[in-house]
Amino acid sequence: MNKTRCAIYTRKSSEEGLDQAFNSLDAQREAGLDYIKSQKHEGWVAIDTAYDDGGFSGGTMKRPGLEQLMKDIDKGRIDVVVVYKVDRLSRSLGDFARMMQVFDEKKVSFVSVTQQFNTTTSMGRLTLNMLLSFAQFEREVAGERIRDKIAATKKQGYWVCGQPPLGYRLQREGEERGLYIIPEEAATVRKVFERYEETQSLVGVAESLTKDGHSTKQWMERSGKIRGGKPITQKYIYRTLMNPIYIGKVTHTRNGKTEVFDGRHEAIISKETWNRVQASIQSQSRNTNHRWSKPCLLQGKLITPSGCAMSPTSVQRPLSRKEQHGRKRRIRYYVSQQALKHGFKSCPIKTMNAEHLDDLVRGLVLDYVSNHTLDENDPAIRDAKVRELIESVVLSTDSIFISLRRDSVADVWKQTG
């Protein structure tokens, strides 16, 4: 009699109780072994490899035990997969359907100990799909309950979003539930608001705080891994200035709608300071238009020697006295993302006049391909064709390197004949 190699797969969503001498995974495996023994007359034999996933959700395929199971199936080492219940393998109907397709291709059968059926029959597959649909429905309902509980907890003023932001910590043993101020970090938060009021510059605040030795919030996970402690960027400063938690509020966003509730924690920033800063940010947002609305020749293609992107932007300047008063002219330029995030002293190439650089690159490319058909009357069409030729442009302090696409250049030369 030929042996039928059986693999037992076990899973538990949470890590609670896994440290016990006999846990849920052990119970599932014992049930699987008993079932395999009952099929001994069919030649069923359990293989020694354990496919266990403790602390992993059934809604994802990224599970080490499952990944190893699928690899061994692909290598032809398994004939039957045995689980305690269908939802131990997956709670997603789509994921399960894909696994069943692989099982069919590799001629692997699937058995549930508590829901006995055979996937080789049409009735067995129908029963399996019905059971899995209910499992997915149960998972979605549980998710809705969790989201409702989070919303209700936030409405009571509690923080339930994991690690709190700079300036706060979670309660310790013996303390009431809530957020508590960390004096040293709170002082940094106040500096952020004070310096922004002084300079009205996100980049300036980030640069000055980094120079003073400040960094983003740092903490240690339960596993001992250190998180945070990175250089302060313009984006980090903006998020800090816009976070209502610093005036004692808690926010909750659901289905694109954000609600603000009174928190139970102590505020770090006064409402007067908060209102002044918000008014300043909104004023700058209304009065400043730094983004150029038209496509740039080198947009997405221009980088510094270190590989940092340079993005198009613009600024409006008043016209000279000889020209009409009240009118402004727009100056386009490329700016280094490294300079924006970490301060202009961090990058040797800060900005470059876009008009001058575009003219230079355009002229060099057209001269190289020597094809007058690219010199269209419509500048937009001409630049679109030039962009198709450019792979990348590296700009340094004393040189420029243009990389072209070989296939596109060859096509242009064929047109020249």
Side-chain angles (χ1 to χ4, degrees):
M1 180 183 295
N2 293 329
K3 290 184 178 180
T4 301
R5 298 161 298 175
C6 303
I8 301 173
Y9 176 78
T10 65
R11 182 184 66 80
K12 187 176 186 296
S13 297
S14 66
E15 296 181 356
E16 184 179 357
L18 292 179
D19 56 346
Q20 296 177 358
F22 189 82
N23 55 47
S24 175
L25 299 182
D26 296 325
Q28 293 177 44
R29 184 167 182 79
E30 285 294 322
L33 288 172
D34 290 341
Y35 187 88
I36 292 172
K37 289 178 182 177
S38 70
Q39 303 297 315
K40 187 176 180 180
H41 61 283
E42 297 288 343
W44 287 27
V45 177
I47 63 177
D48 295 330
T49 307
Y51 304 96
D52 303 325
D53 281 320
F56 288 90
S57 168
T60 176
M61 293 284 286
K62 294 183 178 180
R63 292 172 261 159
L66 179 61
E67 289 174 351
Q68 186 60 49
L69 176 70
M70 299 306 289
K71 287 179 182 178
D72 288 348
I73 289 174
D74 186 60
K75 294 177 181 178
R77 298 174 179 173
I78 298 171
D79 300 313
V80 178
V81 175
V82 179
V83 298
Y84 182 73
K85 289 178 63 177
V86 175
D87 61 3
R88 297 303 88 193
L89 190 64
S90 177
R91 283 181 176 269
S92 168
L93 188 59
D95 291 342
F96 196 87
R98 285 188 286 273
M99 280 190 278
M100 288 299 102
Q101 184 177 358
V102 174
F103 285 15
D104 288 341
E105 292 173 356
K106 299 297 180 180
K107 300 187 183 305
V108 174
S109 300
F110 175 71
V111 171
S112 170
V113 174
T114 58
Q115 303 147 326
Q116 297 184 22
F117 49 81
N118 192 334
T119 58
T120 60
T121 66
S122 58
M123 182 59 69
R125 287 191 291 270
L126 174 61
T127 305
L128 179 63
N129 287 335
M130 290 175 62
L131 290 170
L132 193 61
S133 296
F134 280 108
Q136 182 170 338
F137 172 73
E138 181 184 359
R139 177 171 173 263
E140 291 174 354
V141 169
E144 284 293 328
R145 289 173 181 168
I146 292 172
R147 287 188 285 271
D148 290 341
K149 183 177 180 180
I150 290 175
T153 306
K154 285 188 173 184
K155 195 172 183 178
Q156 295 297 319
Y158 290 105
W159 171 270
V160 289
C161 300
Q163 185 64 36
L166 186 71
Y168 291 101
R169 63 170 175 83
L170 294 173
Q171 71 279 357
R172 295 168 180 163
E173 188 176 352
E175 295 178 335
E176 292 185 7
R177 180 181 180 181
L179 296 180
Y180 292 83
I181 290 178
I182 302 175
E184 298 81 5
E185 293 185 5
T188 303
V189 172
R190 295 188 186 99
K191 283 184 181 179
V192 170
F193 280 81
E194 291 170 1
R195 294 189 182 181
Y196 181 78
E197 282 198 276
E198 295 171 359
T199 64
Q200 303 291 302
S201 170
L202 297 173
V203 174
V205 176
E207 189 174 6
S208 65
L209 289 177
T210 300
K211 185 178 179 181
D212 292 345
H214 295 287
S215 63
T216 62
K217 185 179 181 68
Q218 187 179 79
W219 72 95
M220 180 184 294
E221 294 182 339
R222 292 181 180 178
S223 62
K225 188 174 183 179
I226 302 297
R227 292 286 189 182
K230 297 180 180 180
I232 292 178
T233 63
Q234 172 191 9
K235 187 176 181 180
Y236 187 82
I237 296 298
Y238 180 78
R239 288 202 306 263
T240 300
L241 294 173
M242 298 298 291
N243 196 340
I245 194 173
Y246 295 120
I247 54 171
K249 303 290 184 179
V250 173
T251 61
H252 179 65
T253 301
R254 190 171 182 178
N255 299 326
K257 181 181 178 182
T258 300
E259 295 181 279
V260 181
F261 307 111
D262 291 331
R264 293 175 177 263
H265 59 280
E266 183 181 350
I268 293 177
I269 302 299
S270 68
K271 289 185 178 180
E272 292 76 17
T273 300
W274 170 267
N275 291 336
R276 289 197 303 270
V277 168
Q278 299 309 304
S280 177
I281 292 175
Q282 292 176 12
S283 176
Q284 286 194 349
S285 178
R286 287 194 302 266
N287 298 332
T288 306
N289 180 17
H290 290 293
R291 293 292 177 186
W292 190 42
S293 59
K294 299 179 181 179
C296 285
L297 180 67
L298 303 181
Q299 184 174 4
K301 299 179 181 291
L302 184 62
I303 59 175
T304 64
S306 62
C308 181
M310 296 192 71
S311 305
T313 186
S314 65
V315 65
Q316 290 184 337
R317 299 296 186 202
L319 295 172
S320 62
R321 293 181 179 179
K322 295 181 179 180
E323 300 179 88
Q324 296 181 6
H325 66 279
R327 293 179 56 195
K328 293 184 177 181
R329 59 191 176 98
R330 186 182 297 277
I331 300 177
R332 299 189 298 107
Y333 61 96
Y334 295 102
V335 61
S336 165
Q337 287 297 309
Q338 181 179 344
L340 286 177
K341 292 179 179 179
H342 304 293
F344 281 77
K345 292 182 180 180
S346 65
C347 183
I349 304 173
K350 302 168 180 59
T351 63
M352 172 60 68
N353 186 289
E355 184 177 355
H356 296 167
L357 186 60
D358 286 355
D359 286 343
L360 174 62
V361 172
R362 184 187 299 111
L364 290 172
V365 172
L366 292 174
D367 182 66
Y368 178 76
V369 297
S370 300
N371 191 322
H372 295 292
T373 61
L374 293 181
D375 196 8
E376 297 276 353
N377 292 327
D378 188 340
I381 297 177
R382 176 202 61 200
D383 283 358
K385 292 182 177 181
V386 172
R387 276 181 59 83
E388 290 179 3
L389 296 172
I390 299 175
E391 180 71 35
S392 64
V393 177
V394 181
L395 179 66
S396 62
T397 54
D398 56 358
S399 63
I400 182 172
F401 180 82
I402 305 172
S403 177
L404 300 180
R405 294 174 176 167
R406 293 183 179 180
D407 53 346
S408 299
V409 172
D411 291 340
V412 172
W413 280 341
K414 287 180 182 178
Q415 297 173 12
T416 306

